[in-house]
Amino acid sequence: MFNVIFFYLFISSAVFVYGIGLNKIFVFSKKPQDALFFLSKEIITIVISLCICWPITSYILVPNELTELYPFFCFFIIYLISIVITEFSARFLKKNVTGFYFSYCVLLLSMNEGITFGNALLISLACILSFFCMLPIIYAIRWKMKNSMVYPSFKDGAILFICIAAILFILLAVNVSWLNVEVF
């Protein structure tokens, strides 16, 4: 259990390795106060969608050898759930957090790599947690860029992508085979 969370939180982070949520992380690094509401919306959306999509895939699509159709069903289900939650939050809570691409990508990742339902649920929660663990790092980089003397021709997005690439290389440098002693 802790191995799965640690793996999808740091080693195979959804943000760094797969690029899931990079656009949202740039938005929330400018205005982090809306991130908590986005977190709750994404957790609710992904858990409900996973509870619906996992049985459909396991008990209907896999026995009938129609597994290539599960991204369509996942898309349809998560789109409907995301619309319902977005409308509910816009009308009753007066918060507008739109978009479902982050939750759809996390759902597909957890459906692809989860062996059991519990494992898929852990993977999806670890991916969401990795998004929110990287948010303070990106916020700190953005704050440091604002306070430092950066060339005016550089754009914020380009420097943030360079910093994300440097962090990715630092985190995954131990995965290089010629650095591992066991290989030789």
Side-chain angles (χ1 to χ4, degrees):
M1 178 173 141
F2 294 114
N3 293 337
V4 172
I5 293 173
F6 182 76
F7 183 75
Y8 286 100
L9 190 62
F10 296 112
I11 297 170
S12 183
S13 172
V15 177
F16 284 143
V17 176
Y18 297 107
I20 298 173
L22 279 178
N23 56 349
K24 289 288 187 184
I25 220 165
F26 288 150
V27 170
F28 288 135
S29 66
K30 291 179 184 175
K31 214 168 59 168
Q33 41 288 15
D34 292 337
L36 187 61
F37 186 74
F38 180 74
L39 168 72
S40 60
K41 177 197 175 273
E42 293 302 316
I43 288 175
I44 291 168
T45 304
I46 291 172
V47 168
I48 292 172
S49 300
L50 192 63
C51 290
I52 295 171
C53 291
W54 188 267
I56 290 174
T57 304
S58 298
Y59 299 118
I60 297 173
L61 296 178
V62 171
N64 294 321
E65 297 177 2
L66 298 171
T67 54
E68 58 272 353
L69 293 177
Y70 87 91
F72 170 73
F73 286 108
C74 290
F75 179 83
F76 181 69
I77 289 169
I78 204 161
Y79 186 71
L80 290 177
I81 291 171
S82 179
I83 286 175
V84 168
I85 291 175
T86 302
E87 286 296 318
F88 174 79
S89 64
R91 289 187 185 192
F92 295 113
L93 303 176
K94 305 297 185 217
K95 295 274 188 177
N96 190 9
V97 178
T98 59
F100 75 101
Y101 293 113
F102 175 75
S103 53
Y104 177 63
C105 292
V106 169
L107 179 68
L108 281 183
L109 179 69
S110 63
M111 291 284 291
N112 275 334
E113 299 192 9
I115 299 171
T116 62
F117 175 73
N119 195 352
L121 190 63
L122 274 175
I123 289 170
S124 62
L125 293 177
C127 289
I128 293 171
L129 188 60
S130 74
F131 175 81
F132 287 98
C133 285
M134 300 309 161
L135 190 61
I137 295 170
I138 303 300
Y139 179 75
I141 292 170
R142 190 178 287 276
W143 181 79
K144 184 69 175 170
M145 286 177 5
K146 189 188 314 180
N147 293 335
S148 66
M149 301 289 280
V150 179
Y151 293 112
S153 62
F154 283 150
K155 296 190 179 211
D156 287 347
I159 294 176
L160 280 175
F161 274 124
I162 291 170
C163 292
I164 287 173
I167 293 170
L168 177 65
F169 287 142
I170 290 169
L171 287 176
L172 298 177
V174 297
N175 201 16
V176 178
S177 64
W178 53 271
L179 292 176
N180 291 334
V181 181
E182 293 92 26
V183 174
F184 296 107

